């Protein structure tokens, strides 16, 4: 299949290299990735300066476009301007560090897959738990088999998969969970410090992650050494709230508009 590969850690990141290495013999892979790390930029796009896509060749097998933009920029630019044909599927990753719970909202890895889904393509975001990832190759093999399955089965329009893989050898993985997005989050801290001119500044840190207990939830699945696969929708409408809101009185006569 024709795969567009991106990430948020930059084109030189080992997680992207591992995925490319795994996919390249059986698939036609085009890499369009940020030219530097753009983790946690969410779904931002570049509007106020021009985008440049430089061809990068790391070895005989690896070529790609390094873009001075965000992961979402890479998908847009790749689809509209760089790729000669529409890819069959988009893969984003492999990100070191889980993208579960509330982190999904900040993740550039997830946003790239979301951008692809907005453009009507099947897409998968892939992350491995833990920042010191030693085993991208097993995760890449799983991502490849899942990509093939997604292409066979299809995904609903506007839905993509957010996949998180425990950072253990494959023999120690105890299964997969089709999970929900949890409410787990990093325990935000801001350390207040003083600069040399005695002005205060804040250094954000988040050293511990608060997980959900429900085993059906993304972060909890990882805690049990299981692969978490969450279908995510681009349509963020809350349909229950929509029905309730429609029952409110929406008579504009109640508004005190200025005379
Ligand atoms: Mn990242």
């Amino acid at each position: 299949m024709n795969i567009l590969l991106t990430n948020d850690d930059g084109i030189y990141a080992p997680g992207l290299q591992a995925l490319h290495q795994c996919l390249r013999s059986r698939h036609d892979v085009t890499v369009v990735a940020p030219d530097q790390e753009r983790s946690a930029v969410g779904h931002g796009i570049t509007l106020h300066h021009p985008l440049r896509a430089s061809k990068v060749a790391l070895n005989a097998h690896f070529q790609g476009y390094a873009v001075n933009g965000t992961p979402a920029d890479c998908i847009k630019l790749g689809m509209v301007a760089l790729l000669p044909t529409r890819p069959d599927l988009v893969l984003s990753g492999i990100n070191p560090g889980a993208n579960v719970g509330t982190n999904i909202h900040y993740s550039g890895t997830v946003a790239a897959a979301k951008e692809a889904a907005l453009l009507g393509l099947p897409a998968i975001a892939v992350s491995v738990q833990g920042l010191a990832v030693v085993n991208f190759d097993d995760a890449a093999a799983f991502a490849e088999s899942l990509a093939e399955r997604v292409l066979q089965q299809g995904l609903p329009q506007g839905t993509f998969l957010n996949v998180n893989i425990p950072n253990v050898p494959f023999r120690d993985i105890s299964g997969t969970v089709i999970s929900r997005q949890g409410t787990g989050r990093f325990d935000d801290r801001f350390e207040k410090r003083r600069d040399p001119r005695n002005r205060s500044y804040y250094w954000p840190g988040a050293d511990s992650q608060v997980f959900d207990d429900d085993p059906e939830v993304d972060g909890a699945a990882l805690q049990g050494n299981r692969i978490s696969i969450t279908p995510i929708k681009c349509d963020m409408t809350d349909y229950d709230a929509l029905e309730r809101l429609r029952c409110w009185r929406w008579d504009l006569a109640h508004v005190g508009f200025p005379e």
Side-chain angles (χ1 to χ4, degrees):
M1 71 180 113
N2 258 312
I3 297 174
L4 171 55
L5 176 58
T6 194
N7 71 352
D8 74 357
D9 304 306
I11 196 162
Y12 303 105
L16 183 137
Q17 304 283 326
L19 201 44
H20 183 270
Q21 171 71 17
C22 174
L23 295 167
R24 71 175 174 82
S25 56
R26 286 172 295 276
H27 304 283
D28 200 345
V29 186
T30 308
V31 177
V32 183
D35 61 359
Q36 57 182 288
E37 176 163 0
R38 304 303 299 265
S39 290
V41 298
H43 207 130
I45 54 170
T46 300
L47 294 180
H48 302 294
H49 64 78
L51 287 175
R52 296 183 192 275
S54 318
K55 278 194 174 167
V56 166
L58 290 189
N59 56 52
H61 305 296
F62 184 97
Q63 293 175 26
Y65 294 96
V67 175
N68 61 335
T70 66
D73 286 329
C74 290
I75 298 299
K76 282 182 190 288
L77 192 69
M79 295 272 300
V80 176
L82 299 174
L83 271 67
T85 54
R86 196 173 159 85
D88 301 309
L89 182 131
V90 168
L91 275 169
S92 177
I94 301 169
N95 187 69
N99 278 307
V100 293
T102 57
N103 297 332
I104 290 175
H105 296 290
Y106 311 109
S107 166
T109 308
V110 172
K114 197 195 317 158
E115 182 59 41
L118 288 172
L119 294 170
L121 282 176
I124 309 172
V126 188
S127 307
V128 175
Q129 190 179 26
L131 296 178
V133 175
V134 288
N135 193 12
F136 281 123
D137 294 338
D138 287 346
F142 181 81
E144 183 189 9
S145 73
L146 182 62
E148 285 166 355
R149 193 129 179 234
V150 161
L151 206 66
Q152 283 165 11
Q153 307 275 332
L155 289 174
Q157 270 296 321
T159 293
F160 63 96
L161 299 183
N162 182 40
V163 177
N164 284 274
I165 300 175
N167 187 21
V168 295
F170 223 60
R171 61 176 179 277
D172 296 328
I173 286 181
S174 47
T176 52
V177 179
I178 306 302
S179 57
R180 308 185 270 115
Q181 180 186 3
T183 56
R185 53 178 300 119
F186 280 106
D187 205 5
D188 288 327
R189 289 183 309 117
F190 287 93
E191 202 172 299
K192 189 176 183 181
R193 298 184 181 181
R194 293 257 162 214
D195 71 14
R197 292 175 192 157
N198 206 32
R199 293 171 306 195
S200 56
Y201 67 97
Y202 295 86
W203 192 256
D207 51 355
S208 60
Q209 200 162 0
V210 184
F211 286 107
D212 304 86
D213 294 331
D214 183 342
E216 304 268 286
V217 154
D218 48 14
L222 284 179
Q223 294 301 93
N225 271 355
R226 291 166 303 166
I227 296 173
S228 167
I229 302 170
T230 312
I232 307 269
K233 272 175 110 153
C234 295
D235 179 353
M236 295 188 285
T237 311
D238 180 337
Y239 286 93
D240 293 334
L242 179 143
E243 291 305 325
R244 286 202 300 277
L245 279 162
R246 281 182 176 163
C247 295
W248 292 13
R249 282 188 65 194
W250 289 105
D251 185 350
L252 292 181
H254 291 277
V255 182
F257 289 115
E259 297 288 321

